[in-house]
Each structure stands twice: as C-alpha cells, then as structure tokens.
Amino acid sequence: PLLTVYLDAIEGGRVEKVLVEDGATVTAGQPLAVLSNAELQLSVLARQTEVTQQVNSMRSQELALSQTRLQNERALLEAELGLRKAERQYAREQPLAAKGFVSGQAFRDTSDNLDYQRHRRDVLKRAQSSDERLQTGQLAQLRASADSMESGLGIARANLDALNLRAPVSGQLSSFSIQVGQSMARGERIGQIDSPGRNKLIAGIDEFYLGRVQPGQIATAESGGKTWKLKVSNIYPQVKNGQFEVDLVFLDGEPQGLQRGQSVQVRL
C-alpha cells in the first residue's frame, strides 16, 4: 500500500468487544474494538474528585474574600463616620476652649479622640489593602492549580476514551487479530490500515547500480496489456544480500487488482 497507518493501543487493557474483522474496509473514526482498564478508570475518578475538591476550595476562598471585603468596607465606613463626628466636635469646641467656655482637659480629650479616629481610619485602610492583596494572590494560586488539574483531568479522560479503539483514517484493516478477553499492553501493535486502491512498488536493485539511481527517475511497468509509468520516490541505500531497495509510485493511475506481494516487472 502507498500509505500504511499502524494501530497501537494507547492504553493497555482487556479486550471486551471486537467490532470489525480483519480485512474489513473502515472509515475514519469508526469503532474497531473496546478495551477495559479498571485501574485507569479509578485514576480518572480520583483526579475528578481532586478537581472537585480544588474547585470547592476556590469557591470557599472566593466567598471568604467577599465576606472579608464587606467586613472591611463596613469597618471603614464606621471609621469614616467616627472621624467626621470627631472633626465636627473639635471644630465646635476649639473656639469655645479659646474663650474658656470648655475646660482644657475636655478639649484635650476631644483632640485625642480626633487623632485616634484618624489613625483608626488609616490602619483600617492599610489592613483592607493587605487583606485584599493576600487573598487575591491565594485565589489566583487556587485558580491556577484548578486549571492545571482540569487540564490533567482532560488528558486522563482522553486516555480513558482511547480504550475505545477507533480507525484514525479510512482504508483496509489488516493484521487485526485481537480476541475478546485478550490483555493488551500499552503501545502494543494491534493492526494497520492500508490506503485503499493506492499502491507502490518496492524494487530490489543490484548494488552495482546504486550510483545510477536517483529520486524522480522514471520507470515503466507492463501489466494487463498496458504500460504504466512510475517514478522513484525513495531510495534506501542500505545493501542487503547484494541489493538495495527503492520505492516506485504510479504517476497516471495503476493496474486494477494489485495485491500485496504481487510481482511486477519494471524497467528503470
């Protein structure tokens, strides 16, 4: 075949169903077999639980941040109100104290209260800013962690879905001989899909001609009473048993009914 796509088990498992037979013509995405892997399924469930816990933790953190923000805003409003009251009282007592209508001790208490209210407001503002910064940073870390876990969960789910073996391309299925109950290891070769109706020739040429063969070189073949034109597509310079191999592809169609292993005489 001109194009061969090999089928490997992405994840290992036990064969539960075989949906097609060897030699069948399949289409891209068609289910071929179903595997089961209890360990992988448990792993995906565990990851899903971790992600759910992380998301719940993030939401709890968001709620705590919102509540703390409201508490800080309420405390700051109370501090602003206390400061305005202290400022008004100070403004009332200052001219009276200058004329002796308010005792010096009472006016000092009013002045001290004004300073306290100012400091209290400034402290609350700094505390609010610090809490906001710290909790926002924690929330960002939780979100990044949740996103990372979601990504890992997506990969785990994809691996779980890979237990449903599907044809990656359309073509003829071959070397597909798995059986129900068979255990497949990860990466194990389970078959291949050959391109339908498109073939290439593999020619063995004496090593004497290695320097005279070039990619793109034209060849002709006789088959079915017709002459078919080909060209050299690949050269494999490794010499085995005194020969090297080349791939030849048909240029203007190809003979009908060509089979794997069939011999065709070619003139290069």
Side-chain angles (χ1 to χ4, degrees), residues 24 36 39 53 79 91 130 151 161 175 204 221 244 246-247 254 262:
S36 64
E39 183 179 352
Q53 291 174 345
S130 177
S151 178
D161 185 64
S175 302
F244 66 98
V246 300
D247 288 345
E254 62 183 70
Q262 180 180 343

Side-chain angles (χ1 to χ4, degrees), residues 107-120:
F107 183 65
R108 283 193 296 273
D109 290 343
T110 299
S111 178
D112 291 342
N113 183 53
L114 177 61
D115 291 339
Y116 164 74
Q117 295 295 343
R118 284 174 177 167
H119 287 306
R120 176 171 172 243

Side-chain angles (χ1 to χ4, degrees), residues 9 15 32-33 81 86-87 103 121 129 160 164-165 177 181 225 234 260:
V15 179
L32 305 178
L81 177 61
E87 288 174 342
S103 67
R121 181 198 59 184
S129 177
L160 186 61
N164 299 313
L165 302 178
S177 58
N234 290 301
R260 185 193 299 268

Side-chain angles (χ1 to χ4, degrees), residues 61-76 128 131-132 135-136 139:
Q61 188 74 12
E62 287 179 334
L63 180 60
L65 177 61
S66 177
Q67 291 175 344
T68 302
R69 187 183 294 117
L70 289 174
Q71 291 173 358
N72 288 338
E73 289 177 355
R74 188 180 299 113
L76 188 59
Q128 182 182 26
D131 288 346
E132 184 79 15
Q135 294 195 20
T136 300
L139 186 59

